[in-house]
Amino acid sequence: MESIKKVGVLTSGGDAPGMNAAIRAVVRSAVYNNIQVIGIKRGYEGLLSGEIVELGPRSVSDIVHRGGTFLLTARCQEMMNDEGVERAYKICKVLSLDALIVIGGDGSFHGAQKLSQLGTNVICIPATIDLDLDCTEYTIGFDTAINTGMEAINKIRDTSSSHERCSLVEVMGRHAGHIALWCSITGGAEEVLIPEMNTVNTETIIQQIFANRSKGKTHNLIVVAEGVGNTTQMAKTIENITGIETRATILGHLQRGGSPTALDRMHASMMGYTAIETLMQKRKNRVVIFKNGKYEDIDINEALECKKEYDNKLYEIIKMLAI
Ligand code: F6P
């Protein structure tokens, strides 16, 4: 592999707090090593429509603390088909990119993997609030999202206890329950429902609500992952059957915004730096990961081999701590 002279960087899929800090680290580490950087707007969509901006150290000033992504992001349908990937590959060639740095989650990495099969050198940085990538112990944005979730639960708990109500709090996670599990344990919830568990047994939930009442609990906090669905309807059903006032709160995109926590800025900065280090060491088609306290890089195909499972132990602990 020849020496790296020019790289492109894009953010793709759902935004995550810390993406800006990752772009900053990529740009500054690259320029420090005499590598030219172009920013690609709106993820793969911007790549396909040639929306590029030259980036230097000053273009990434004042963003380390900002949520969202200043490069903008999108979920690109065209990258789902072979023609789109082929076109993206040709555009990378026209732009003379020695590597494309993709900051995003699972879907974005699959796009990168297809590009790598055609010959584009890709380096991926994991950034999704969902923490749903098996290859890495951390994905940028998760800590900010669960802190937002936890703070919301704290506030809901106050009013829920005062009114002796049951509260359902829906957190993000269409396919993965990691946010719900962490928000439950840190928010002290009585119950958590996640998409990985497939079935929701309302009768069991109601039995537990009654049991909690007789134990003297003034509230019943139930965290529901988005992917379980029907949170508002579930609240109505619980209220109708139990006679206990029940409210549903959908946190939604609130969890995707906000200034990144120190942990997210740290991981984002280290992962951005590691992406450029990986290129400097002439490695191709890699995913930057955090494992056993270290930042490393692994082959993209290996990285995407397995689906991350939810932590059943965490679920059992939530139930145990809710007695
Ligand atoms: O980025 C991940 C995520 O926030 C999931 O938790 C959620 O299910 C999904 O994105 C929502 O996507 P959108 O913003 O496109 O509605």
Side-chain angles (χ1 to χ4, degrees):
M1 188 167 135
E2 295 192 2
S3 69
I4 302 284
K5 296 189 193 71
K6 186 179 180 185
V7 298
V9 58
L10 59 79
T11 47
S12 163
D15 63 346
M19 277 183 163
N20 278 327
I23 302 167
R24 171 180 178 269
V26 164
V27 172
R28 292 194 174 165
S29 306
V31 173
Y32 184 85
N33 286 292
N34 299 315
I35 299 171
Q36 185 192 351
V37 192
I38 57 161
I40 298 156
K41 307 290 281 284
R42 298 184 181 78
Y44 292 115
E45 266 186 28
L47 179 64
L48 291 167
S49 54
E51 289 180 82
I52 58 163
V53 281
E54 197 74 36
L55 295 178
R58 293 289 73 72
S59 350
V60 290
S61 292
D62 225 6
I63 62 166
V64 73
H65 60 301
R66 292 192 201 283
T69 159
F70 89 102
L71 283 178
L72 311 178
T73 185
R75 299 191 195 277
C76 178
Q77 289 307 315
E78 211 181 327
M79 278 297 280
M80 304 284 180
N81 60 56
D82 292 347
E83 295 77 44
V85 178
E86 176 88 34
R87 222 158 66 66
Y89 162 70
K90 286 181 181 156
I91 292 170
C92 287
K93 276 195 99 171
V94 169
L95 294 173
S96 308
L97 296 184
D98 296 313
L100 178 67
I101 298 174
V102 174
I103 305 173
D106 189 57
S108 312
F109 287 11
H110 276 99
Q113 185 183 34
K114 287 190 218 147
L115 275 175
S116 74
Q117 285 155 2
L118 296 183
T120 307
N121 180 16
V122 293
I123 305 290
C124 296
I125 298 177
T128 163
I129 63 164
D130 287 348
L131 193 74
D132 59 348
L133 288 166
D134 188 59
C135 58
T136 178
E137 286 167 16
Y138 196 75
T139 60
I140 297 163
F142 180 70
D143 188 59
T144 310
I146 53 158
N147 273 288
T148 301
M150 183 191 70
E151 280 162 23
I153 291 169
N154 289 345
K155 290 175 182 165
I156 291 167
R157 170 195 287 277
D158 287 346
T159 169
S160 197
S161 299
S162 306
H163 287 264
E164 297 175 272
R165 282 175 173 160
C166 173
S167 292
L168 273 62
V169 186
E170 185 182 295
V171 298
M172 274 203 152
R174 216 165 7 219
H175 305 292
H178 310 291
I179 294 177
L181 289 168
W182 280 65
C183 282
S184 297
I185 207 155
T186 57
E190 272 73 34
E191 177 63 279
V192 56
L193 307 174
I194 58 173
E196 292 93 328
M197 285 181 155
N198 295 323
T199 53
V200 174
N201 188 334
T202 316
E203 281 174 19
T204 315
I205 295 169
I206 289 172
Q207 282 164 10
Q208 197 199 320
I209 291 169
F210 283 140
N212 288 341
R213 267 285 157 97
S214 51
K215 281 183 212 159
K217 287 199 178 217
T218 50
H219 60 252
N220 268 284
L221 276 171
I222 303 175
V223 175
V224 186
E226 177 192 356
V228 172
N230 296 324
T231 305
T232 308
Q233 183 50 50
M234 204 188 305
K236 282 190 188 134
T237 308
I238 292 172
E239 181 168 289
N240 288 342
I241 298 177
T242 60
I244 297 171
E245 279 189 318
T246 304
R247 297 287 186 267
T249 307
I250 319 273
L251 298 186
H253 289 82
L254 201 74
Q255 284 179 290
R256 279 241 299 265
S259 180
T261 58
L263 190 71
D264 272 323
R265 296 181 202 191
M266 183 68 187
H267 281 304
S269 303
M270 293 305 292
M271 286 179 171
Y273 159 83
T274 305
I276 297 300
E277 270 300 296
T278 303
L279 284 172
M280 293 301 291
Q281 287 159 21
K282 300 194 182 339
R283 285 199 288 281
K284 287 181 85 170
N285 303 326
R286 313 293 288 177
V287 173
V288 174
I289 60 164
F290 180 72
K291 206 157 204 170
N292 300 324
K294 287 198 187 112
Y295 298 94
E296 293 167 10
D297 58 275
I298 61 167
D299 179 73
I300 187 161
N301 299 312
E302 189 192 331
L304 294 177
E305 250 164 34
C306 300
K307 191 183 167 327
K308 190 178 179 105
E309 300 295 333
Y310 79 95
D311 187 347
N312 191 52
K313 184 81 187 159
L314 213 53
Y315 177 76
E316 285 167 9
I317 294 170
I318 290 162
K319 302 297 291 176
M320 193 181 85
L321 299 185
I323 55 169

